[in-house]
Amino acid sequence: MKGRKQKTIFIVEDNAGVADALVLLLVEEGYHVDLWVQGTEVNLQPPFPDLILLDLLLGGRDGQTICRHIKDQETTRHIPVILMSANKNVPRIAQEAGADNWIMKPFELWNLLALLDASIGQRQLIFDQEVSE
Amino acid sequence: MNNQKETLTSAKVKQDSAPCATQAKQESREDVHAHIFSTSSSLQPREGNWSSLLNWLDVSPDALVIVNQTGQIMLVNDQVETLFGYQHSEFIGQPLEMLLPQRFHEAHVLHRERYAALPRTRPMGAGLELYGLRKDGTEVPVDISLSPLLVDGELYVLGAIRDITERRRLQEREHLARAEAEAQLELLQLILDELPTSVYLVQGEEARLVLANRAATAVWGATWQVGQSMQDFLTSNHIRVFNIHGEIFVPADLATLRAFQQNEKVQAYQESIRHEDGTIIPVLVNAVVLGQHFLPGVKVIVREDEKKEYYSDSAERFTLVVQQDVTESMELERRKDEFIAMASHELKTPVTSIKTYVQLLHRRLMQEGNEQSAQILTKVDMQLGTLTRLINELLDVTNMATGILSWHEEMFDLSHLVREVVEDLQRGTERHRIQIEGEVSIQIAADRERIGQVLSNLLTNAIKYTPQGGPIVVKQRLEEDKILLSVQDWGIGIPAEKQAQIFERFYRVRSPEHETFPGLGLGLYLSQEIVKRQGGRIWVESQAGEGSTFYFTLQAKPSFEKGKGDEE
């Protein structure tokens, strides 16, 4: 597994307070972070991130639609997506949208970090396997 | 009048101013009977002779008059004298019209002539109100029957006159009573029609309509016909009634039918009425069964000839039903819920950001070795946890009211969850020691977060209501297909009389010693709803001053028991 410093996480979050805190945290954790504050801005081009942290309730285009789109594209399907929401139904919504995982707001720091590690690690393992085959 | 009575029969026979009477032959009674009462054909005049007539005229309870074809009175019986107040001699040979009020004279002559042309036995003036004129000028209501009579080959007409004063009086009284009852019922209908609340009265097991007001028609969206059973009314108008969960009602469960069948008062029963066009009217229904003595007027009034008839046929009891249309208050409630849902969601966003900052700062302080400052941030974080829980409770309660409590079932190890929740809450208290006893490592299918919420609520309460601190014990036990969990504390306890209410929404034990404990009063209500949803039960055993033990059960649904330690 590559070190955290080499990993890129895209955050899609329209609330400035939450976005700022997340960026602060993830940068401190050694991730490379890109932030989109509008759902409509999301436009994935290579090089792709290692993970996308996606808010569910966004202005313009909601997280569910964006996730569905990412998972529908051959080129972006492999990118792990974590849906974030204060909505109690996020587990179901995440499943329906094809997200890899979900986290309920407000979250515990350690919980989020563990989830990021697990998601990137997991994906990396599968990816490595595919490459080696 | 007494005088006349004495001379009754003889007087008449003697006073044979009646021209034919003198020729009367004596015949046996049997013959008379055969002649006079021969009913072989009503078109054929009866035959007889004067002497035979005289034998039975006076035994009749009715006043009898015999007239000839020109309308002259030939013979009368005693009752005629009594009825009209004339002496016997004053009648004979006089025109019959003397017994009629002046206003009928002209018409009567015509009627008489017509009768002579086609004589047959029939009532006179069918359907008309007939009156006789007494000697003193007063009128008397009468019924008259006519019968042709052949006496010695000549045609006469026999008129039987009956005084119906008494019958008329009774009829009038009945009519008045009926009119009065109708007026009362009409007034009742008028009053009911002005009420904004739907009111209707039904009778019997099938709830056949007796009366309904205008608001009832509006609520049902159709006119319920008087006498129509409720089931027939609903079916023929394609009306459906749903319960609070949106399920269609079994007819027997409808408030109207239920009240009658179980003979109990139904109060504030929630029903949603869907009209054929899809309109839905939510109502609160009260229904009460009445004994028949409550409605003296209804039974009298069965008016089949008018379009508005009141139904009543037997001694069956009545059910009075009042429906309150709560569309508006439901709409208000819905908007309030929407507001709370939105507000809760909006509140969570800043909490998320604050929580992340706090935890970030906490980590930095720890890395710098500033544990004392980090401790303060731990407390801030705990408070944020409490705030989040309160927001979630509000959101859950509003969602529960609309029946959309989020539920995400998964398989998980119960003992892991218990440990997690216990550790989480232990972090927030130094004075309490939370112990786990009898750990059962079992996989169950349920909403992990919700079950955690129940346990967390019970532990939070145990901590809150044990202000002096001390042990709190969490026990797990497997009982056949159920898991029993309990949370025991040795705190202030709950008085017996308040134990039944603590699971109610917004309920908080009110007493001087409880006043200092904050909370929304939602925790136990939510816990109960969650446990019920999981197919379990929640209850409490407590004594004031000695502490409480809360129990709840969980169905160990499609599951497989695992030996302890298999996971590790």
Side-chain angles (χ1 to χ4, degrees):
Chain A
M1 210 212 279
K2 291 184 271 183
R4 278 180 177 171
K5 278 203 168 61
Q6 294 155 287
K7 303 287 183 190
T8 305
I9 295 178
F10 280 7
I11 300 173
V12 189
E13 168 65 70
D14 62 350
N15 180 278
V18 177
D20 181 58
L22 277 173
V23 171
L24 213 60
L25 168 73
L26 296 185
V27 168
E28 202 167 296
E29 277 296 305
Y31 289 105
H32 181 260
V33 182
D34 269 356
L35 174 69
W36 277 310
V37 293
Q38 286 278 321
T40 44
E41 288 175 4
V42 179
N43 178 23
L44 288 176
Q45 298 291 338
F48 296 120
D50 295 286
L51 185 138
I52 298 170
L53 204 49
L54 181 61
D55 187 31
L56 186 62
L57 204 66
L58 294 164
R61 210 160 146 226
D62 65 54
Q64 210 173 344
T65 314
I66 296 170
C67 181
R68 194 69 273 164
H69 184 74
I70 294 168
K71 293 298 174 185
D72 279 348
Q73 304 293 114
E74 190 64 46
T75 49
T76 56
R77 186 174 296 159
H78 68 280
I79 307 169
V81 176
I82 296 176
L83 265 188
M84 302 184 285
S85 177
N87 188 328
K88 286 249 168 191
N89 291 315
V90 66
R92 183 180 50 76
I93 297 167
Q95 198 181 9
E96 284 169 9
D100 297 73
N101 225 319
W102 52 268
I103 191 158
M104 194 100 72
K105 286 177 177 177
F107 40 76
E108 300 296 327
L109 213 73
W110 60 268
N111 218 334
L112 176 68
L113 295 178
L115 195 58
L116 293 180
D117 268 353
S119 299
I120 295 178
Q122 206 176 45
R123 187 57 61 171
Q124 198 59 48
L125 271 175
I126 297 166
F127 215 62
D128 290 348
Q129 268 174 12
E130 280 169 0
V131 170
S132 64
E133 269 166 15
Chain B
M1 201 183 269
N2 282 344
N3 275 355
Q4 291 167 3
K5 250 185 191 144
E6 281 164 32
T7 55
L8 184 98
T9 316
S10 55
K12 269 176 237 140
V13 178
K14 269 188 278 149
Q15 282 171 15
D16 349 25
S17 24
C20 305
T22 47
Q23 300 155 25
K25 283 185 230 157
Q26 290 296 325
E27 282 185 16
S28 71
R29 265 196 112 73
E30 288 73 27
D31 289 338
V32 171
H33 195 268
H35 286 309
I36 305 296
F37 295 98
S38 148
T39 53
S40 56
S41 164
S42 60
L43 284 172
Q44 286 303 309
R46 291 177 180 134
E47 290 191 61
N49 55 46
W50 291 116
S51 69
S52 61
L53 282 173
L54 288 171
N55 282 333
W56 62 268
L57 274 185
D58 282 330
V59 300
S60 162
D62 291 333
L64 299 176
V65 182
I66 294 172
V67 295
N68 66 14
Q69 290 192 61
T70 59
Q72 272 185 309
I73 297 173
M74 305 300 288
L75 202 59
V76 294
N77 70 352
D78 186 40
Q79 281 79 342
V80 180
E81 294 170 32
T82 314
L83 182 58
F84 289 94
Y86 289 99
Q87 298 283 326
H88 185 263
S89 57
E90 291 178 90
F91 289 112
I92 308 304
Q94 296 301 314
L96 181 63
E97 280 73 26
M98 75 178 284
L99 301 179
L100 301 178
Q102 179 68 37
R103 62 183 185 279
F104 295 124
H105 285 189
E106 201 175 325
H108 188 259
V109 174
L110 285 172
H111 286 311
R112 195 156 45 73
E113 281 165 4
R114 214 173 293 153
Y115 187 82
L118 185 61
R120 57 190 172 91
T121 301
R122 63 162 175 85
M124 182 176 143
L128 298 175
E129 283 190 359
L130 302 177
Y131 291 91
L133 181 68
R134 290 203 182 94
K135 190 179 180 183
D136 63 9
T138 59
E139 294 187 9
V140 55
V142 289
D143 261 2
I144 304 176
S145 292
L146 300 175
S147 185
L149 205 60
L150 266 181
V151 183
D152 298 330
E154 192 123 0
L155 181 71
Y156 295 88
V157 178
L158 170 69
I161 307 163
R162 183 171 293 174
D163 179 355
I164 56 165
T165 310
E166 187 60 17
R167 197 174 80 197
R168 201 50 75 69
R169 207 170 56 78
L170 285 175
Q171 275 176 349
E172 216 121 276
R173 194 194 285 171
E174 194 183 320
H175 185 76
L176 268 176
R178 185 180 286 216
E180 198 178 317
E182 273 175 31
Q184 272 180 8
L185 218 57
E186 244 153 56
L187 178 65
L188 176 65
Q189 181 79 50
L190 228 91
I191 295 169
L192 291 181
D193 278 346
E194 292 307 314
L195 288 181
T197 324
S198 151
V199 180
Y200 59 88
L201 187 70
V202 290
Q203 192 182 18
E205 198 178 354
E206 296 181 314
R208 295 178 311 276
L209 190 75
V210 176
L211 63 88
N213 71 350
R214 218 163 15 208
T217 307
V219 162
W220 290 115
T223 306
W224 188 344
Q225 301 299 330
V226 168
Q228 192 178 22
S229 76
M230 185 174 203
Q231 185 63 56
D232 184 38
F233 166 63
L234 296 180
T235 313
S236 58
N237 289 291
H238 307 282
I239 298 169
R240 297 186 138 191
V241 186
F242 298 88
N243 66 14
I244 186 177
H245 304 297
E247 297 152 356
I248 205 154
F249 262 114
V250 182
D253 280 344
L254 290 169
T256 306
L257 297 172
R258 195 189 166 94
F260 186 91
Q261 276 156 14
Q262 312 200 351
N263 197 18
E264 64 178 20
K265 194 171 178 174
V266 172
Q267 262 178 316
Y269 208 66
Q270 291 189 35
E271 292 181 353
S272 276
I273 295 164
R274 200 181 71 186
H275 300 168
E276 192 176 7
D277 66 4
T279 311
I280 291 177
I281 308 228
V283 288
L284 279 182
V285 192
N286 282 11
V288 61
V289 180
L290 307 178
Q292 221 181 1
H293 60 279
F294 278 100
L295 296 144
V298 174
K299 201 156 168 52
V300 184
I301 295 161
V302 182
R303 298 190 298 184
E304 279 156 17
D305 50 330
E306 293 175 37
K307 46 180 188 207
K308 206 162 68 178
E309 68 188 50
Y310 295 93
Y311 187 86
S312 170
D313 68 346
S314 67
E316 287 177 304
R317 286 164 304 149
F318 295 94
T319 311
L320 177 67
V321 186
V322 177
Q323 294 170 311
Q324 192 193 342
D325 183 343
V326 290
T327 309
E328 265 178 50
S329 47
M330 288 277 281
E331 174 61 18
L332 273 178
E333 184 86 355
R334 196 188 59 76
R335 269 192 242 160
K336 186 198 75 191
D337 285 353
E338 231 175 53
F339 169 77
I340 293 177
M342 203 58 212
S344 309
H345 193 268
E346 288 299 305
L347 284 170
K348 276 192 195 174
T349 305
V351 171
T352 305
S353 134
I354 296 167
K355 203 170 167 69
T356 313
Y357 284 132
V358 165
Q359 292 186 358
L360 202 55
L361 198 53
H362 177 267
R363 216 171 52 162
R364 282 187 185 173
L365 289 169
M366 288 298 280
Q367 281 160 1
E368 289 165 12
N370 189 348
E371 277 192 38
Q372 266 186 325
S373 299
Q375 277 288 310
I376 296 171
L377 282 181
T378 304
K379 285 176 185 165
V380 174
D381 195 37
M382 290 297 301
Q383 290 304 314
L384 284 172
T386 308
L387 181 59
T388 308
R389 203 160 45 240
L390 290 175
I391 296 170
N392 281 337
E393 279 183 1
L394 268 183
L395 197 60
D396 284 347
V397 166
T398 42
N399 282 342
M400 201 114 59
T402 46
I404 48 164
L405 181 71
S406 70
W407 194 260
H408 186 70
E409 205 163 280
E410 58 185 317
M411 292 293 286
F412 64 92
D413 189 313
L414 185 65
S415 62
H416 285 193
L417 175 67
V418 172
R419 236 179 294 150
E420 233 171 73
V421 175
V422 166
E423 278 167 21
D424 190 33
L425 281 138
Q426 183 65 73
R427 268 203 297 275
T429 174
E430 282 162 8
R431 284 187 294 175
H432 302 87
R433 203 164 13 85
I434 310 175
Q435 303 159 9
I436 299 174
E437 282 182 16
E439 207 161 318
V440 184
S441 191
I442 183 168
Q443 291 278 327
I444 63 165
D447 186 318
R448 192 178 194 278
E449 204 189 324
R450 293 288 180 199
I451 302 304
Q453 198 180 344
V454 175
L455 201 57
S456 171
N457 277 337
L458 297 183
L459 280 169
T460 308
N461 279 348
I463 292 167
K464 190 155 82 173
Y465 295 110
T466 312
Q468 77 277 16
I472 291 167
V473 177
V474 181
K475 280 187 200 164
Q476 303 161 57
R477 199 167 70 224
L478 186 66
E479 292 184 335
E480 290 174 21
D481 59 339
K482 278 200 286 280
I483 299 155
L484 178 70
L485 283 111
S486 64
V487 174
Q488 185 173 15
D489 68 61
W490 284 266
I492 61 170
I494 305 155
E497 70 275 12
K498 304 212 162 137
Q499 288 176 17
Q501 291 157 282
I502 57 172
F503 294 102
E504 287 172 13
R505 188 176 172 182
F506 302 123
Y507 184 81
R508 297 185 57 222
V509 178
R510 300 240 172 257
S511 62
E513 67 268 29
H514 284 84
E515 283 302 343
T516 47
F517 298 98
L520 297 176
L522 293 175
L524 286 176
Y525 167 72
L526 280 169
S527 298
Q528 177 175 249
E529 290 299 311
I530 292 166
V531 170
K532 275 203 293 201
R533 170 104 183 229
Q534 176 67 29
R537 206 162 72 81
I538 187 165
W539 71 99
V540 66
E541 283 171 12
S542 179
Q543 254 186 317
E546 301 197 358
S548 310
T549 308
F550 280 86
Y551 297 89
F552 71 97
T553 59
L554 290 175
Q555 290 291 333
K557 279 199 283 195
S559 61
F560 42 93
E561 208 179 337
K562 283 183 116 187
K564 218 177 149 185
D566 277 9
E567 290 263 289
E568 277 82 28

